[in-house]
Each structure stands twice: as C-alpha cells, then as structure tokens.
Amino acid sequence: MTCIRIEGIRKHFGTTAAVDGVDLDIQSGELFFLLGPSGCGKTTLLRMIAGFIEPTGGRIHFDDHDVTYLPPNRRDTGMVFQSYALWPHMTVAQNVAYGLRIRKVDSAGRKARVAAALESVQMGAYGQRRPNELSGGQQQRVALARALVVEPRVLLLDEPLSNLDAKLRLEMRQEIRRLCKSTGITTVYVTHDQEEALSMADRMAVLKDGRLQQLGPPQELYQQPRTRFVAEFLGETNLLPATVAGRDGDKVRLDTVVGQVVANVPESGVPSGGNVTCSIRPESFRWSPSDNASSLTGEVEDIVFLGDLTQSVVSFGGGHSVRTVALNQGRRPMQGDSASLYVDPDDVVILND
C-alpha cells in the first residue's frame, strides 16, 4: 500500500491556473475523493498524479519516492477512465490481460490473474465476450478489472460512473468501495457528484477554482462546512444572514432574518459581535410546540410530498423563508398552517465567508 504526498502542486495553462497550490496527504489504503464543480481542477490534479500532465510547480511523492516528473508507465498506477477505453476488437479477457502482456507476464500467470480479476468484479463468465456485447455496468466492471489485474500501487478513477443510469450508479458505488477496501489499494476518485462522494469516501477534498476549500471525512464536511461554497455544494442548506447578539461560554446567540437561534461555537471561533452568515441544513429543523420559547414561528408556504419525506417551505415575512425536510411520521402541518421550528445549537454552523 502507498501513501501519496502532494506539496504545493500547480498547473497553469497559459495565464489560467487550473490547479493553484494544492497540498494533500492521502493515506495508505484510503479511498480518497477529489470533489468539485466542472472546471475546478480535480481532473487536472488526478492526471498529474497519473503522470499524464506535467505540473508547473510543486512535488508529488508516492511514499518516499518523488514521482513528479516520472512517466506514467513507471508510476505503477491503474487508471479507470470516464469512457472506460476498452478495445472493441479484443475480448473481455484480452482487454484485462493487456497490461500484463506489456509487463511480459508469462501466459500461465496472465491466465490465472485475469481469471481472478474477472471473478473479483463478478464478470468471470464473460471473458470471451466483446465490449459491445456488454451493458454499461458490465463494461465498467471490465475497466476496473483491467486496472486491478496489474496490482497497482495506486488506483485512479476519473468520474467512472457518470455514463451509467441512476440504478447502476448505486450498485457500482457499493461494488467499487468493496473492491478498493478489500484489495487495500490507495485509491483517488474524481467526481462532481456529491452523493457519490458522501456515500463512498473515507476522506475527500473539495476544490474550487483550482484551490483546496476543505478537507476531511464526508460527515465532517457536510455537518461542519467552513465556507458558503462548501455548505452549498454538499447538499441543500439554508444560508441565513445574522448578527451576533451575545455569547455565554461556547454558546452564541444569533439574531437571524427569521428569528434568534443559538450555535455551539468555541470562543475563538466567532467574533463577539458583528454580521455573520450561518448555515442550517433542512433536516436539522424540528417541529416544536408553539409555546417553546426558543422556537422560530412562521407559516407553511409550500409542501412537497416525497413518499418517506416531506419538504416544506416555512415563511417568516419580509420575503424570508427556510426549507425543511422531515420523515413522514405522525401529523405534519399543512400548507397555510402556523409552524414552530427548533434547531439544535450543534446544527447551526457559522461560516467563514
């Protein structure tokens, strides 16, 4: 297993900084995600790790070895492309065996390793088929087998599920995570799909305009975003302008545009006064009794029934509203009803920008 250390890596295309001074430490055996919108630099960064693009500055290390300018064929990586890149004139087994042939593995060794790789992705019975005889999900499994059969130090995945339908994407998420964790290969996975990253990653890095915005486990980034960009990018949230009204130890009172809420914040984490923006996820709101002194009271403006969930928009006058999400358990207020909402102080996040 291999650690990846990225130090101040930069890539300029003319005057455009595609990747601008990124530092990352990816742990051995980790399933690590590079996440961000189109054009944020995540694929450029992945291709620099693979050796397909030469950086403008900075260093890349695999364990203690500097691979910054090492060609791709000497990095011992396996890569799965968005388009799968399977050779149509070869059978499934021949596609998977290609990397072993390049490495001059003998015929018996190739046959055994190809069979094992295909079995690991549940494609053992498809070795003699051509790629055009396979579904999209099956082609994706073959591409994974081809990358894994060479036993790479690092596995690189470039938006591998973007061409699949929703049901197949869900199935392949579980399959890819199972394979990566069972083999113990350090894996770097690029995607713009927030649900994909949140459901699969050990840790992830959110990028914007070539810069690292936040790094950490999925739950931490979702529940404790540092910036407006991260809060909005990782799912839906309510961004509420607020004024710091006071504090008592780690508790901060905030006068928001929809009423007063309390946030749990270390004393060094927020100014003693002034204007801030807070983020509250829709599922963090709880319906509370109307006599609760700490509740926010508004009117249910809109309701969307989603089977197991109900989305509601609660308005507070002055054009201000919040979105809530709740499980359909017991009675919920109807459109036009008065609504009292409560939010736990742990779920109120004060953003840095």
Side-chain angles (χ1 to χ4, degrees), residues 157-176:
L157 306 173
D158 187 7
E159 303 207 40
L161 305 184
S162 61
N163 293 329
L164 304 181
D165 62 42
K167 184 174 183 296
L168 272 176
R169 282 201 303 271
L170 288 174
E171 292 175 0
M172 288 305 299
R173 284 179 196 173
Q174 299 173 355
E175 187 68 15
I176 289 174

Side-chain angles (χ1 to χ4, degrees), residues 64-318:
D64 295 327
H65 304 291
D66 189 335
V67 300
T68 309
Y69 299 106
L70 206 63
N73 63 322
R74 295 181 58 195
R75 297 196 185 200
D76 198 11
T77 61
M79 187 150 183
V80 178
F81 298 92
Q82 182 177 348
S83 63
Y84 315 144
L86 300 177
W87 286 281
H89 63 287
M90 294 183 182
T91 66
V92 165
Q94 289 168 339
N95 266 280
V96 175
Y98 183 80
L100 299 176
R101 292 178 64 90
I102 296 297
R103 288 165 173 78
K104 302 187 185 305
V105 176
D106 64 80
S107 177
R110 286 201 307 270
K111 186 175 180 179
R113 287 170 64 173
V114 167
L118 288 175
E119 285 296 333
S120 73
V121 297
Q122 301 174 17
M123 290 291 290
Y126 296 83
Q128 297 311 307
R129 293 196 185 185
R130 305 277 181 176
N132 63 1
E133 298 174 313
L134 305 177
S135 68
Q138 290 170 332
Q139 289 183 46
Q140 181 60 275
R141 291 171 188 267
V142 174
L144 276 169
R146 185 178 60 184
L148 292 170
V149 75
V150 297
E151 299 174 355
R153 298 172 65 189
V154 173
L155 179 62
L156 306 172
L157 306 173
D158 187 7
E159 303 207 40
L161 305 184
S162 61
N163 293 329
L164 304 181
D165 62 42
K167 184 174 183 296
L168 272 176
R169 282 201 303 271
L170 288 174
E171 292 175 0
M172 288 305 299
R173 284 179 196 173
Q174 299 173 355
E175 187 68 15
I176 289 174
R177 179 164 176 84
R178 179 189 68 80
L179 283 168
C180 292
K181 303 314 289 184
S182 65
T183 59
I185 297 174
T186 305
T187 304
V188 185
Y189 189 123
V190 160
T191 187
H192 63 272
D193 188 316
Q194 300 94 325
E195 286 189 9
E196 209 168 279
L198 290 169
S199 64
M200 294 175 65
D202 293 324
R203 286 191 307 146
M204 59 189 190
V206 178
L207 301 175
K208 177 190 178 188
D209 298 330
R211 291 181 176 272
L212 178 63
Q213 300 296 300
Q214 193 169 347
L215 168 68
Q219 185 173 349
E220 177 185 309
L221 267 63
Y222 183 82
Q223 295 180 341
Q224 294 294 323
R226 294 178 190 160
T227 67
R228 176 189 292 260
F229 174 80
V230 175
E232 289 185 298
F233 190 75
L234 292 178
E236 189 175 356
T237 193
N238 296 284
L239 297 175
L240 303 176
T243 301
V244 178
R247 70 179 308 147
D248 181 14
D250 284 351
K251 295 191 180 298
V252 177
R253 297 189 307 279
L254 299 169
D255 288 331
T256 78
V257 293
V258 299
Q260 188 171 95
V261 298
V262 176
N264 285 336
V265 185
E267 291 191 21
S268 61
V270 69
S272 57
N275 298 325
V276 296
T277 300
C278 64
S279 167
I280 304 175
R281 299 289 184 188
E283 66 273 17
S284 296
F285 286 108
R286 301 287 183 268
W287 301 94
S288 67
S290 58
D291 59 355
N292 187 336
S294 61
S295 65
L296 306 171
T297 303
E299 181 180 304
V300 180
E301 180 181 314
D302 189 31
I303 289 179
V304 179
F305 177 73
L306 298 173
D308 58 336
L309 301 172
T310 293
Q311 288 183 345
S312 304
V313 177
V314 179
S315 62
F316 294 85

